[in-house]
Amino acid sequence: MTTDAADPRLDAYPALAAYLRQMDAPLDQGIPPMPQEPPRTPGEGRRGMREVPRARRVGETPRARRVRETPRVRRARETPRVRRVREASRATPATPVPPVRVSPRTLHTGIVNGALGITAMWAVQAEPSARLDVLFATGAHLTGLLAGYGILVMLFLMARVPAVEHGVGADRLARTHALGGRYVLSLCAAHALLALCGYAAHADTDLLHATLDLLGYPGLAAATAGTALLAAVGVTSARALRRRVRHETWRAVHLLTYLGAALAFAHQLAGPDVAGGVLSLGLWSLLHATVAVLLVWYRVVVPVRQALRHSLRVIGVRDEGPGVVSVVVQGIGVDELRAEPGQFFRWRFLRRRLWHTALPFSLSAPVRDDTLRITVKAAGDHTRRIRRLRPGTRVLATGPFGALTAHRRTRRKVLLLAGGVGITPMRALFETLPGGPGDLTLLYRAGSAEQLVLREELEAIARTRQAGLHYLLGRSDASFDPLAPQALRNLIPDLADHDVYLCGPPGMSAAATTALVRAGVPEDRIHAECFTF
């Protein structure tokens, strides 16, 4: 029997009537819903941690407890500094650290300050005297110290330190090295002559007998041999003779520099200016040890490590024009080399008659899918053999080198000026330099349309990026010069507001630089690189 909750007889019992009305109500009314828990994954407890039998937790180690704890629990124990670092790293994505670059001004300042320091070390130890033999000896000491310092500078410039190579440029370093070599040889000759005159004045003898006497000392004989080796290197590097000597011969003779420097160092340790004090001896030894470590590391260890790590091989050779081929090389983790458009590598192809020579070639395309591409024009025995490379040929590539990269840019608008095979780094920059429509212009100088290289790629890039592309064809003579200042201004009316990247043969580069300066482009905004160093 049921009782109606609305029965008038229950009015005298309001509490009972309310209870009956609640009992008669539908189940989904008047009852507050239970709080819903989020769905759990199998084996997960209520607080988001994986359920583990209590007996196992009692005996667990602190390390096991740290592993079991959730990130929320661990963060509760973080210090404010750790929390700020974590939140900052989550808010801002990591950006690659730009490479360290030593500017030409910084390098020049460092070299000059080093020479001044060597002069100060000599001045502290010099003994003033009016005697002729002492004057000669004092001059010999100064020139000897500066010559030894100059040898260290020459070796450092050719150590291929990335910060110096990427900031100064390999071509400028090579020219500085060549110019500095002349000064070093002059200082060596002055040191030998002053020392000889000083000894002759002190012994009251003639120069011939003084020479024979001095060569009787083992240290002086070693120094003379070292000077002769450095002189041989300088003679073979002279421009008139360099063109007639095979590259392999010049390279072998140039390696004698290391032996000459070692003999000179042994001679300096016996001299009073270096061995006379603990500080000077320690400083001189430290300088030589530093340069030696840089040479071994960047010229031996790093190339070997790169060869083992990246395992480069030729995967394709394609004809690009008369005597011009592109070589595509693939490896493992090539992105780790951090090669930038505009840079070059020194390539050593491990096949007969090519493996013993490292040739500098620029990248003609950006790095993609662990591949590197170079475009080579046949200009000698080695470059002619490159077109006969086969897929699978092992490659040793040292680098990257060069400073003709985007970091030199100072203006929104950029002119790329290429001549001949100098188009290879310009093509990579043409594709990758940031810029909107009309910001980039490429001028390509060639003798005829048949000599244009990578033409289809250049025109595709120009269409895609809405960039300017002009071919300057024909032979230059008195009546026709496409690189004349007025001709350049006609093509690019606002030329003076551009940064200019220039790469081509030495004659063309020199003429273009002169024309650009006359057209109003400041010389510090003309960024050039010449590969015939």
Side-chain angles (χ1 to χ4, degrees), residues 336-522:
E336 298 174 5
L337 296 172
R338 301 178 67 181
E340 301 177 60
Q343 291 185 319
F344 69 96
F345 286 78
R346 288 182 171 90
W347 306 86
R348 194 183 298 271
F349 299 96
L350 301 186
R351 60 162 293 173
R352 190 172 63 90
R353 305 177 72 182
L354 273 177
W355 66 269
H356 55 281
T357 302
L359 302 171
F361 296 124
S362 295
L363 297 177
S364 60
V367 178
R368 293 191 186 94
D369 301 326
D370 282 337
T371 62
L372 304 168
R373 192 186 77 175
I374 58 175
T375 302
V376 182
K377 180 179 180 180
D381 295 338
H382 294 90
T383 50
R384 278 192 291 268
R385 295 184 185 111
I386 288 178
R387 68 183 305 124
R388 295 193 292 269
L389 290 173
R390 295 289 180 267
T393 301
R394 292 292 301 271
V395 183
L396 302 182
T398 308
F401 302 111
L404 195 67
T405 57
H407 88 279
R408 286 191 172 183
R409 184 177 183 177
T410 61
R411 293 292 187 273
R412 180 174 63 87
K413 293 191 173 183
V414 176
L415 169 63
L416 305 173
L417 182 53
V421 77
I423 190 62
T424 53
M426 297 295 104
R427 183 254 178 252
L429 289 169
F430 194 42
E431 180 181 351
T432 57
L433 277 178
D439 288 344
L440 300 179
T441 304
L442 173 62
L443 301 184
Y444 187 2
R445 180 75 176 95
S448 63
E450 291 73 20
Q451 297 178 6
L452 296 176
V453 180
L454 307 174
R455 181 172 182 173
E456 294 181 359
E457 295 183 12
L458 296 174
E459 293 174 354
I461 295 171
R463 287 192 302 269
T464 302
R465 307 199 63 186
Q466 301 181 38
L469 175 61
H470 304 279
Y471 300 124
L472 308 180
L473 305 178
R475 296 186 178 277
S476 298
D477 53 29
S479 61
F480 174 74
D481 184 7
L483 295 179
Q486 188 58 46
L488 293 174
R489 282 195 294 263
N490 291 339
L491 285 172
I492 309 172
D494 57 346
L495 178 61
D497 297 329
H498 284 63
D499 264 320
V500 180
Y501 285 73
L502 172 62
C503 186
M508 175 264 181
S509 297
T513 300
T514 302
L516 289 167
V517 172
R518 292 176 57 189
V521 181

